[in-house]
């Protein structure tokens, strides 16, 4: 499954701003019966500072390694200023051992791993995948940015709305 269709959006996680990323190609078929186990890996800088570009490059390599070595579906991630938590669905809970090994071998980042049964794909469907309110909020935000970029919307712009009812007399 090399083809992906990622959707990125900004939302709050534990009261802090976070970027959510989800591979939407799984949505129509979720849950996958042959992938009932959720593995997750949390990575952050060893010195406790904000994630930097080098840290993100390390995480990118880990993502690819996890997906291939664990024979897992990479469902998405949540990233705030200090950490990224990646979520994978796989066939066996025993694959946590390989994920723990990867976390232990990481030298630049502090990483920890976990596993849980999630046969209904609740993490994917209810946490990573945006609900209607999140989706439309993010779509509106992106459209407003596009309008501003194209000069079609400024801070001074006002939208006038008029409503007519039968008893207006007009």
């Amino acid at each position: 499954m090399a083809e992906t269709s990622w959707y990125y959006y900004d939302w709050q996680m534990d009261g802090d701003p976070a970027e959510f990323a989800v591979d939407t190609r799984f949505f129509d078929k979720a849950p996958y019966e042959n992938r009932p186990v959720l593995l997750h890996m949390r990575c952050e800088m060893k010195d406790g500072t904000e994630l930097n570009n080098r840290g993100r490059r390390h995480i990118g390599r880990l993502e690819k390694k996890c997906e291939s070595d664990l024979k897992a579906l990479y469902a998405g991630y949540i990233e705030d200023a200090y950490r990224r938590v990646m979520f994978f669905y796989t066939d066996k809970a025993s694959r946590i051992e390989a994920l723990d090994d990867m976390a232990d071998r990481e030298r630049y980042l502090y990483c920890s791993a976990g596993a849980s049964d999630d046969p209904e794909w609740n993490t994917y469907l209810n946490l990573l995948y945006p609900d209607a309110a999140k989706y439309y909020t993010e779509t509106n935000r992106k459209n407003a940015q596009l309008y501003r970029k194209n000069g079609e919307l400024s801070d001074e712009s006002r939208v006038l709305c008029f409503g007519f009812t039968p008893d207006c007399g007009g």
Side-chain angles (χ1 to χ4, degrees):
M1 287 187 158
E3 184 180 327
T4 62
S5 179
W6 287 87
Y7 183 74
Y8 302 89
Y9 64 101
D10 297 323
W11 207 251
Q12 297 282 313
M13 186 68 176
D14 298 328
D16 295 320
E19 177 187 60
F20 286 64
V22 60
D23 190 337
T24 60
R25 69 189 160 126
F26 304 130
F27 183 75
D28 290 336
K29 295 180 182 173
Y32 285 66
E33 289 180 18
N34 63 345
R35 307 293 176 138
V37 178
L38 175 70
L39 300 178
H40 55 88
M41 181 183 273
R42 174 185 169 140
C43 296
E44 55 194 60
M45 303 297 291
K46 284 195 172 186
D47 62 6
T49 60
E50 291 188 6
L51 275 176
N52 59 30
N53 287 337
R54 183 175 175 199
R56 285 188 182 88
R57 284 192 301 275
H58 275 261
I59 290 171
R61 287 191 290 274
L62 277 172
E63 289 169 339
K64 288 177 178 60
K65 186 165 180 56
C66 289
E67 196 170 14
S68 65
D69 290 4
L70 301 172
K71 297 175 179 46
L73 301 178
Y74 185 24
Y77 67 80
I78 301 171
E79 180 179 312
D80 66 17
Y82 295 92
R83 71 201 53 83
R84 180 179 291 186
V85 182
M86 301 165 281
F87 299 93
F88 304 88
Y89 281 94
T90 191
D91 57 347
K92 299 180 219 170
S94 62
R95 295 200 192 273
I96 185 62
E97 295 166 12
L99 191 62
D100 277 333
D101 287 343
M102 283 183 234
D104 290 343
R105 284 193 309 266
E106 177 55 45
R107 297 293 170 231
Y108 186 71
L109 301 165
Y110 169 74
C111 296
S112 59
S116 61
D117 289 328
D118 191 5
E120 298 300 318
W121 280 46
N122 287 316
T123 300
Y124 178 82
L125 295 169
N126 299 320
L127 177 64
L128 293 172
Y129 201 88
D131 61 19
K134 289 177 188 173
Y135 178 79
Y136 288 111
T137 298
E138 183 63 14
T139 300
N140 288 339
R141 186 186 66 78
K142 287 178 180 177
N143 285 339
Q145 285 177 337
L146 184 61
Y147 291 142
R148 280 190 186 91
K149 179 181 172 188
N150 293 332
E152 298 172 29
L153 180 67
S154 68
D155 292 337
E156 295 80 32
S157 298
R158 299 290 182 262
V159 177
L160 299 177
C161 297
F162 297 94
F164 296 96
T165 61
D167 61 344
C168 269

